Amino acid sequence: MRTAFNEFLQRGKAPFDYENVFLTQYRPRIEKVLKGESPLPFEIEIQPSPYCDANCDHCWAKNFSKLENKLEDKKNIDRVVQQILSLNSNGLSEPKVKFCGSTGNPSMNKNLGYFISQFYGKRWMRLFDNGIKMGENVNNEKYLEDFSKLNLLYLSLDAGTTEILHDVKPGAKKRNVSVESILEACQKMKLMNPNLGVNVSYVITNKNYQEISEAARKTKEYGMNLIRYRIDLTDEKIGNERAQEIVELLREAETHEDSNFKVVPIHNDKQIKNKNNTNFGSKGSNFKCMTSNFWTCIGSNGAFYPCGHSVDRETDTFGNILEEDFEDIWNSKKRKQVQENLPGEKCTICSPFSLSVNEFGTFLLEMSKNQREELLEEYYSKK
């Protein structure tokens, strides 16, 4: 058991060293969950819009049904903010706020800036966004100012040149947005707030794999903090047919690393060369859903979902924040019933972090209580 435990802890590469991050940042909640308690989530994801302006053909949620659009209404925004700010964490860290989307891109919500400003200085916030609206508003400082209030921006760029950007994101071409205008907008936001971190995400597809290294070079040039690569989840062939080229290009991208800029491939060389569904989903791997104990997601309709990767009209929800109080929903029998059936029908893909947590969490739960306590005590004693 100790050998297997240590192997989990040696798998990652900082700063996405998932198992170690999970154990260290989530320790108080992990201890409560292992005792059968239900602490408030570490992070609350909000999906502000069901609409997207990119139209990526590699979108993993392109076949999901869109929810109702209720979170553009400032009255509903105020309700969500008030509920989250009033949570009693009982000595735990206050839940972080994450703006993201499955069928939608957050900045498609015309009042996202208002949403962000209501949490500013009160909660740690991060945003996952494709940057198209930011690129459109590269010279609109008032627009960019609200986004500069974030703690962390994950920019879904997926290209190193504008030509490829327009190929993988037709919406960017329609709006005449370039790679440079998106990166310049992010650069301006970082100047407005030197504490803002910008991490670039790059989904490797058959259309953009040749620009892996160029994307690293360019994002570094514009002062971004890191670039993170993952394989297209919707294409079974990309890893198998292009594996060796991709691995070599990732090594080339890593030559751009320095003390201020990191290059992080999510998948190791073996996973890239032997790509299959078990690399991306807990259901096919028979892992328990541990993430639903630590995170939750509020859809654009106000409903609660187990995670942001299951937001679909057909997914079983367990309450609506526009109608009920957050803590009542979180502690409800309905939430426990939903959890008991996870991974569910819509749980086809997990985020890389969630997949790692589910695998590691399943490993911890399957050992005896004494073995688990011994290993965790030994781990924490060294920190």
Side-chain angles (χ1 to χ4, degrees), residues 167-182:
D167 196 18
V168 298
K169 297 181 187 293
K173 181 177 182 179
K174 180 179 178 180
R175 291 161 181 80
N176 196 30
V177 172
S178 66
V179 165
E180 287 76 15
S181 64
I182 293 173

Side-chain angles (χ1 to χ4, degrees), residues 23-43:
L23 286 181
T24 53
Q25 291 191 15
Y26 297 72
R27 178 179 180 179
R29 286 177 167 83
I30 292 171
E31 292 172 345
K32 288 181 177 295
V33 167
L34 291 175
K35 292 177 183 178
E37 299 177 27
S38 296
L40 286 173
F42 180 86
E43 182 174 75

Side-chain angles (χ1 to χ4, degrees), residues 284-336:
S285 304
N286 294 316
F287 302 146
K288 299 181 186 299
C289 181
M290 290 297 291
T291 58
S292 57
N293 293 290
F294 303 98
W295 300 275
T296 195
C297 175
I298 299 171
S300 62
N301 58 353
F304 273 63
Y305 294 81
C307 83
H309 278 64
S310 61
V311 180
D312 179 90
R313 285 180 183 268
E314 298 177 9
T315 300
D316 197 8
T317 65
F318 43 91
N320 193 301
I321 199 169
L322 303 180
E323 302 165 2
E324 308 160 73
D325 288 344
F326 191 110
E327 292 197 47
D328 289 341
I329 296 170
W330 185 254
N331 295 313
S332 67
K333 290 182 180 179
K334 177 63 174 175
R335 174 176 165 259
K336 292 178 182 178

Side-chain angles (χ1 to χ4, degrees), residues 35 45 49 59 108 110 120 123 139 183 199 208 214 233 241 243-244 246 259 276 308 344 364 376:
K35 292 177 183 178
E45 176 175 331
S49 176
C59 176
M108 287 293 283
K110 63 183 180 182
Y120 180 57
R123 288 294 181 274
N139 295 315
L183 291 173
N199 294 346
N208 68 9
E214 171 62 12
L233 306 178
E241 293 183 353
Q244 191 56 42
I246 289 170
S259 59
N276 58 68
L364 292 176
L376 290 176

Side-chain angles (χ1 to χ4, degrees), residues 77-319:
I77 290 175
D78 289 341
R79 164 72 180 176
V80 173
V81 172
Q82 180 271 327
Q83 281 287 302
I84 292 175
L85 293 182
S86 65
L87 292 175
N88 180 359
S89 296
N90 293 317
L92 297 173
S93 60
E94 300 289 355
K96 296 182 177 183
V97 173
K98 169 186 175 183
F99 294 103
C100 195
S102 51
T103 64
N105 190 56
S107 56
M108 287 293 283
N109 184 323
K110 63 183 180 182
N111 287 317
L112 180 59
Y114 175 78
F115 223 145
I116 292 170
S117 67
Q118 297 306 102
F119 281 119
Y120 180 57
K122 301 169 186 173
R123 288 294 181 274
W124 192 94
M125 294 179 287
R126 60 175 176 161
L127 165 67
F128 287 69
D129 197 274
N130 61 37
I132 291 176
K133 286 287 184 185
M134 297 169 193
E136 282 188 290
N137 287 276
V138 63
N139 295 315
N140 183 347
E141 291 194 4
K142 188 175 185 302
Y143 179 88
L144 298 178
E145 186 177 358
D146 282 329
F147 291 93
S148 73
K149 296 174 182 177
L150 294 161
N151 297 92
L152 183 59
L153 167 64
Y154 278 85
L155 175 66
S156 176
L157 191 62
D158 305 333
T161 65
T162 299
E163 179 183 1
I164 294 300
L165 175 71
H166 289 176
D167 196 18
V168 298
K169 297 181 187 293
K173 181 177 182 179
K174 180 179 178 180
R175 291 161 181 80
N176 196 30
V177 172
S178 66
V179 165
E180 287 76 15
S181 64
I182 293 173
L183 291 173
E184 185 180 346
C186 294
Q187 188 178 55
K188 287 182 176 180
M189 289 188 287
K190 285 175 68 70
L191 289 173
M192 293 175 184
N193 174 15
N195 294 319
L196 170 65
V198 180
N199 294 346
V200 176
S201 296
Y202 196 106
V203 178
I204 303 170
T205 75
N206 268 308
K207 291 182 177 181
N208 68 9
Y209 74 95
Q210 292 177 319
E211 293 197 347
I212 287 173
S213 184
E214 171 62 12
R217 185 197 67 77
K218 191 165 289 184
T219 52
K220 177 183 179 180
E221 176 187 330
Y222 276 86
M224 305 301 103
N225 297 82
L226 63 83
I227 185 166
R228 179 179 71 162
Y229 297 93
R230 71 166 173 80
I231 292 290
D232 178 5
L233 306 178
T234 68
D235 185 354
E236 279 296 317
K237 296 180 180 179
I238 176 63
N240 298 330
E241 293 183 353
R242 307 285 188 187
Q244 191 56 42
E245 291 175 272
I246 289 170
V247 168
E248 290 173 2
L249 286 165
L250 286 171
R251 298 295 88 79
E252 184 179 331
E254 289 175 337
T255 64
H256 297 289
E257 278 195 323
D258 60 25
S259 59
N260 297 312
F261 182 75
K262 301 299 177 187
V263 174
V264 185
I266 291 297
H267 312 292
N268 60 40
D269 294 359
K270 181 179 178 181
Q271 289 174 326
I272 293 171
K273 293 177 179 179
N274 298 283
K275 181 176 177 290
N276 58 68
N277 285 335
T278 61
N279 292 337
F280 308 117
S282 295
K283 188 175 181 179
S285 304
N286 294 316
F287 302 146
K288 299 181 186 299
C289 181
M290 290 297 291
T291 58
S292 57
N293 293 290
F294 303 98
W295 300 275
T296 195
C297 175
I298 299 171
S300 62
N301 58 353
F304 273 63
Y305 294 81
C307 83
H309 278 64
S310 61
V311 180
D312 179 90
R313 285 180 183 268
E314 298 177 9
T315 300
D316 197 8
T317 65
F318 43 91

